[in-house]
Amino acid sequence: MQDTKPLLPEPLRRFAAWCAVLLLLAGVVYVGIRLVVEFRTAVVPVLLALLGTALLGPLHRRLVKAGVPRSVAAGLTCVAVVAVVGGAVYIVVAALIDTGDEIVASLKQAARGVSEHFGAAGTSLDDLASNARELLGKFGGTAASGVISGVSVVGESVAMAVLALLLVFFFLRDSDKAAGTLRSLSPRGSADTLEAMARRALRAVEGFMRGTTLIALIDALCITVGLLVLDVPGAAGLGALVFVGAYIPYLGAFLSGAVAVLVALADRGFVIAVWALGVVLAVQVLEGHVLQPMIQSRTVQMHPAVVMVTITAGASVAGVLGMLLAVPLTAAAFGVVEELRARYGEEGESPTGES
């Protein structure tokens, strides 16, 4: 029999195979995203609970090691997080309420200054600043007045928050059973790999959450102190904004820093605004070159371009919540990839180092 030559050369066939794999993967990812969006009321609390469990896991383990029963330790941890989060929210809201008028007035003054130099564009900014509080009031009134859409959003958010807190309790209490459950559900021969992947992903998320929280606190304190020294109005509220924005890498710091500089420009003039910009840039340099390498050295390191693309994708899928969840979930995925690379790399090498 004569050997038949393939219709396509080998490089082109390999390229076609990779295209088929990528298309199949893209289809699976698309269907997965659509399912997550469709069942977001159930999926979002699970994701938030996993992040909360990763952040609170060390505290729970310390309580268990101290002799506290697992259920009691999980309950105490949840009570502690409710107290801390509730207190933090109260402080942030109180600071923003106390200094909100000053910040809005400063932004309005800055917009008027811009309108003197740039005409219509500045006038639009002035109108936006003037109507910001009215728009917020209308939104709050809509949510509180019984309008169906507003009530549904508020009710859904409260339900998801309560469900996430309950899931955190159960995840903490039964965390010792997670490995056994995962191994029992694993296909034959893959239990060790799946458990290692899960542990690596959890460590990545734990490191990200703890590191981001500590970095956000340091950034907020440094910028607040700098603004207080410069006598910028609303320093406490701006510091609170910096703390919240730090959970959205790069973009949150840029927006909160820009607001601080605008307020300084409006109330204290160009020179103080330049100093405020210097404070913001100095804190960002400190974060990027000192805090990030020191605090998050044990976590998965991601290139800034990957982080920005991840944040953009998260925002397109789930808005602000997607931006908050995108980076830790990507960190977990990077951890899994690193674990697989390490495992299969070791298995592919012989004791002499030859493949």
Side-chain angles (χ1 to χ4, degrees), residues 30-41 43-44 316-318:
Y30 176 78
V31 173
I33 292 176
R34 296 303 302 174
L35 289 175
V36 168
V37 173
E38 188 69 23
F39 298 101
R40 63 184 180 278
T41 307
V43 174
V44 170
S316 65
V317 173

Side-chain angles (χ1 to χ4, degrees), residues 185-205:
L185 298 176
S186 303
R188 181 178 300 178
S190 62
D192 292 338
T193 301
L194 290 178
E195 182 180 353
M197 291 165 54
R199 292 185 183 277
R200 185 66 173 265
L202 181 61
R203 285 199 302 269
V205 176

Side-chain angles (χ1 to χ4, degrees), residues 81-97:
V81 73
V82 169
V84 171
V85 172
V89 170
Y90 174 78
I91 293 173
V92 171
V93 172
L96 291 177
I97 290 176

Side-chain angles (χ1 to χ4, degrees), residues 52 138 163 226 288 341 351:
K138 288 182 179 180
L163 179 57
R341 181 182 299 174

